[in-house]
Amino acid sequence: MSKLSHALDSLGAIVLAIVWVSPLLFAFWAAFHTTSDAVNFDLLSAWTLDNFRTAWAGAPWLRYFLNTFLLVTIVLIGQFFFTTLAGFAFAKLQFPGKDLVFILVLMQLFILPEVLIVENYAMVSRLGLFDTLFGVGMPYMASAFGIFLMRQSFKSVPIELHEAARIEGCTLLGILWRVYVPLAKPTYLAYALVSVSTHWNNFLWPLIVTNSPDTRPLTVGLSIFGAPENGVDISVISAATMMSVAPLLIAFLVFQRQFVQAFLRAGIK
Amino acid sequence: MQKNTTPEHRSNAIYGWLLLAPAAVMLSVFAFYPSIATLWSSLFSRGTRRRPSEFIGLENYADLFADPTFWVVVQNNLFYAAVTIPVSIGIALAMALWANANISARSFVRTAYFTPTVLPMIAAANLWLFFYTPGLGVLDKIGSLFGLPSVNWLGQPDTALWAVVIVTIWKEAGFFMIFYLAALQTIPADLKEAADIEGASRWTYTRRIVLPLLMPTTLFIMVNAMINSVKLIDHLFILTKGGPSDASKLILYYIWEMAFAFFDAPHAAALTILVLTVLCIVAAVQFFYLDKRTHYQ
């Protein structure tokens, strides 16, 4: 590679990178300045925390954070449970009807929970789970994607370990728990990162199923807070946005490599 | 057929079904039953207190086809897909080539590209509001430096959908980059050496070797992007609410609006079935043509 083309490459890559982070940088800038300073890009203007105070006072953010945290935890625990059992059955057991069920499971990759909002809403109401975090989480628990991921991971476990554990007198569930689950740790971690970031960010379904501040996750709270009828200005919206994205963003910046690996691992199915 | 009758096989079958049962119940309750129920309820009229709902066959579908908004929404979504899919894939490819090349500030560049992926779409929409707001927004400020008049990007039919499209591309490109990055790392280094020895230019190497080897990844990304072009609508709730005069309304938003703002479940059901049909066609194409190998191995 010649020096010139190398320099041009670096330049192009960096310009694109700056363009890509600029919305975030501008919001960050706006969050720490008064509205008029923010929109006039007065670089020497004073920094302020007022926007954060206003935003914080404007909605029960702590409750929203807690709800989001509980939601991603519930979803993740449910997903681990359902996808481990099903993934193991698909990977290691031979039984009639397996292939047909597997195709049905794969179909769910395309029948998106997002598209079935009307009937799923009716279902959640019927189960008495409307306006509960369980109601928000349940449609995502038996994730076809997760089942597929676990199946792939369990398939790669050598059968000798399975046989050895069986000779030692381990039951099938014992083998799953003592041999397969520990060996699949990296897959669980990857799945957890993808799942947590997906459900931390999910909006439409929680919007439909939640109805009160006691169950609303951050994304829904943020959208209500930023609605024009609430009359908040752009600096305060920026502050609220910064607050909401901070946990995941900081986690991402700290564990960047793991995040990217997780998406890679989860993506190459 | 002795093999199906040994105790081992019988217990395997019992265990297999027991292990599948929890997931099967959940999938039935939240995917398969709702799909069938949606199909069923799309064949009934909207019940009111005075007139209970009754079977009307395909009338809801006929209504949809006769509804001008439906066609606007379909057109919008096709446009949305036709722009976001190729552009975000193209940018993702450029990002991956750069993020994989030996350039300065590589880790900053990678982080910058991927950051939007970890943000909620709702937050992304809030960030972009700051660009689009007429008079105050960054775009207007930049425009005014060049003496351009203020533009209400989100408030006029000509630009509203574009504004939504740009936010989607911003959000998606970094995510797709990851898959390309993974694929690029599996290309053996000796191919590059061989190309260098042959005196092939970088462009030739990219076009003749890299791009063909990335084809399976591109197809995989394309299927994901197609699904996302139905799914990614959160920013509409912040940016335009489908307006002005339906100029930026997309199908899933329209389903939501019909069901939860207009309380017209039967028409929402009919629309849902149309979307599911299209998704099933995409699924069938993927299963039977694209990557049977990687999925079923």
Side-chain angles (χ1 to χ4, degrees):
Chain A
M1 219 192 288
S2 77
K3 271 231 166 89
L4 178 69
S5 83
H6 180 255
L8 281 178
D9 258 348
S10 302
L11 187 70
I14 290 169
V15 167
L16 188 63
I18 291 170
V19 169
W20 236 246
V21 289
S22 61
L24 200 58
L25 292 182
F26 278 119
F28 185 78
W29 156 267
F32 284 99
H33 291 84
T34 63
T35 314
S36 63
D37 284 347
V39 299
N40 289 319
F41 300 106
D42 184 353
L43 290 179
L44 297 172
S45 55
W47 291 59
T48 170
L49 286 172
D50 280 350
N51 299 316
F52 285 92
R53 275 184 216 113
T54 316
W56 186 259
W61 296 106
L62 222 48
R63 184 75 227 185
Y64 294 162
F65 272 111
L66 182 68
N67 290 340
T68 296
F69 178 78
L70 289 175
L71 173 65
V72 297
T73 312
I74 290 171
V75 171
L76 192 63
I77 291 172
Q79 284 177 334
F80 277 179
F81 175 75
F82 290 106
T83 62
T84 299
L85 296 186
F88 181 64
F90 282 128
K92 291 290 167 173
L93 297 174
Q94 296 305 326
F95 53 94
K98 186 174 97 160
D99 294 336
L100 181 71
V101 183
F102 190 60
I103 289 176
L104 281 177
V105 168
L106 283 181
M107 268 175 61
Q108 199 246 343
L109 287 174
F110 292 88
I111 307 177
L112 309 168
E114 283 80 5
V115 178
L116 291 172
I117 45 178
V118 183
E119 276 303 322
N120 274 343
Y121 168 81
M123 179 59 80
V124 163
S125 308
R126 229 173 280 147
L127 295 172
L129 292 171
F130 179 72
D131 203 21
T132 65
L133 289 173
F134 265 101
V136 182
M138 274 179 77
Y140 296 98
M141 282 182 185
S143 132
F145 169 66
I147 292 174
F148 194 84
L149 207 59
M150 288 307 152
R151 169 181 174 268
Q152 295 305 91
S153 170
F154 292 153
K155 270 199 162 203
S156 67
V157 173
I159 197 70
E160 287 81 8
L161 290 172
H162 186 122
E163 304 284 327
R166 206 174 48 176
I167 289 163
E168 296 286 330
C170 220
T171 61
L172 201 60
L173 277 183
I175 296 173
L176 172 59
W177 182 246
R178 296 212 178 85
V179 178
Y180 286 91
V181 170
L183 286 173
K185 252 187 207 152
T187 309
Y188 281 108
L189 183 70
Y191 187 36
L193 285 177
V194 174
S195 165
V196 166
S197 59
T198 308
H199 291 283
W200 190 283
N201 296 342
N202 199 3
F203 170 73
L204 182 63
W205 176 243
L207 172 75
I208 290 165
V209 178
T210 61
N211 202 19
S212 61
D214 290 346
T215 49
R216 224 173 255 156
L218 265 177
T219 46
V220 179
L222 186 61
S223 77
I224 291 171
F225 180 78
E229 55 269 25
N230 285 348
V232 286
D233 65 36
I234 204 144
S235 287
V236 177
I237 292 181
S238 297
T241 310
M242 285 296 133
M243 279 179 345
S244 325
V245 300
L248 206 59
L249 198 61
I250 291 169
F252 166 66
L253 293 175
V254 174
F255 300 107
Q256 212 191 116
R257 183 178 291 270
Q258 286 84 345
F259 259 91
V260 172
Q261 288 299 327
F263 277 90
L264 282 178
R265 182 183 279 275
I268 309 161
K269 295 191 261 186
Chain B
M1 293 304 279
Q2 215 193 348
K3 79 176 209 213
N4 284 330
T5 52
T6 62
E8 167 92 32
H9 280 100
R10 227 175 303 144
S11 81
N12 254 351
I14 294 168
Y15 264 118
W17 282 102
L18 281 179
L19 291 174
L20 276 188
V25 168
M26 290 294 266
L27 283 177
S28 309
V29 170
F30 290 107
F32 303 126
Y33 171 78
S35 307
I36 294 163
T38 306
L39 180 63
W40 185 241
S41 63
S42 76
L43 303 174
F44 284 80
S45 70
R46 182 178 170 183
T48 58
R49 202 170 293 169
R50 288 159 108 202
R51 269 199 337 181
S53 82
E54 53 183 45
F55 187 84
I56 52 163
L58 297 176
E59 226 170 273
N60 286 323
Y61 294 90
D63 289 351
L64 274 185
F65 291 137
D67 167 17
T69 312
F70 168 76
W71 293 107
V72 171
V73 169
V74 168
Q75 255 178 35
N76 285 347
N77 223 129
L78 287 177
F79 174 84
Y80 180 74
V83 179
T84 56
I85 295 174
V87 175
S88 52
I89 290 180
I91 294 179
L93 182 59
M95 284 174 164
L97 289 172
W98 272 330
N100 199 45
N102 188 19
I103 56 162
S104 8
R106 192 166 69 169
S107 69
F108 160 70
V109 163
R110 274 191 193 188
T111 311
Y113 294 161
F114 191 65
T115 305
T117 304
V118 293
L119 298 179
M121 200 55 160
I122 284 294
N126 277 342
L127 307 186
W128 279 87
L129 260 187
F130 200 52
F131 276 66
Y132 289 139
T133 313
L136 303 174
V138 177
L139 288 182
D140 264 13
K141 291 280 170 193
I142 295 172
S144 70
L145 289 181
F146 299 98
L148 298 171
S150 157
V151 179
N152 189 356
W153 301 99
L154 298 168
Q156 55 182 26
D158 295 345
T159 51
L161 189 53
W162 278 104
V164 170
V165 161
I166 287 170
V167 176
T168 309
I169 293 171
W170 179 74
K171 186 85 166 72
E172 293 232 283
F175 180 54
F176 296 152
M177 168 194 76
I178 294 293
F179 302 115
Y180 274 131
L181 211 47
L184 282 176
Q185 282 161 7
T186 63
I187 295 178
D190 35 347
L191 286 178
K192 174 72 183 147
E193 282 161 26
D196 285 343
I197 291 168
E198 296 286 332
S201 73
R202 208 167 125 231
W203 169 236
T204 312
Y205 169 72
T206 306
R207 196 167 53 98
R208 289 286 171 80
I209 296 179
V210 176
L211 294 186
L213 286 173
L214 290 179
M215 260 333 266
T217 314
T218 306
L219 291 175
F220 168 77
I221 294 176
M222 211 141 76
V223 171
N224 267 292
M226 280 188 222
I227 296 175
N228 283 352
S229 68
V230 174
K231 197 164 89 165
L232 276 183
I233 58 140
D234 294 357
H235 47 329
L236 288 182
F237 285 83
I238 298 274
L239 292 177
T240 64
K241 304 208 182 298
S245 52
D246 300 332
S248 64
K249 196 169 282 173
L250 300 175
I251 290 181
L252 185 53
Y253 190 89
Y254 196 39
I255 293 179
W256 172 82
E257 202 177 47
M258 266 188 192
F260 297 98
F262 307 151
F263 303 105
D264 186 356
H267 284 105
L271 194 50
T272 306
I273 291 301
L274 295 179
V275 173
L276 281 182
T277 311
V278 173
L279 287 174
C280 283
I281 294 170
V282 173
V285 170
Q286 188 192 22
F287 285 172
F288 295 115
Y289 292 106
L290 301 186
D291 53 2
K292 210 170 183 173
R293 194 168 37 92
T294 45
H295 272 274
Y296 291 122
Q297 42 92 34

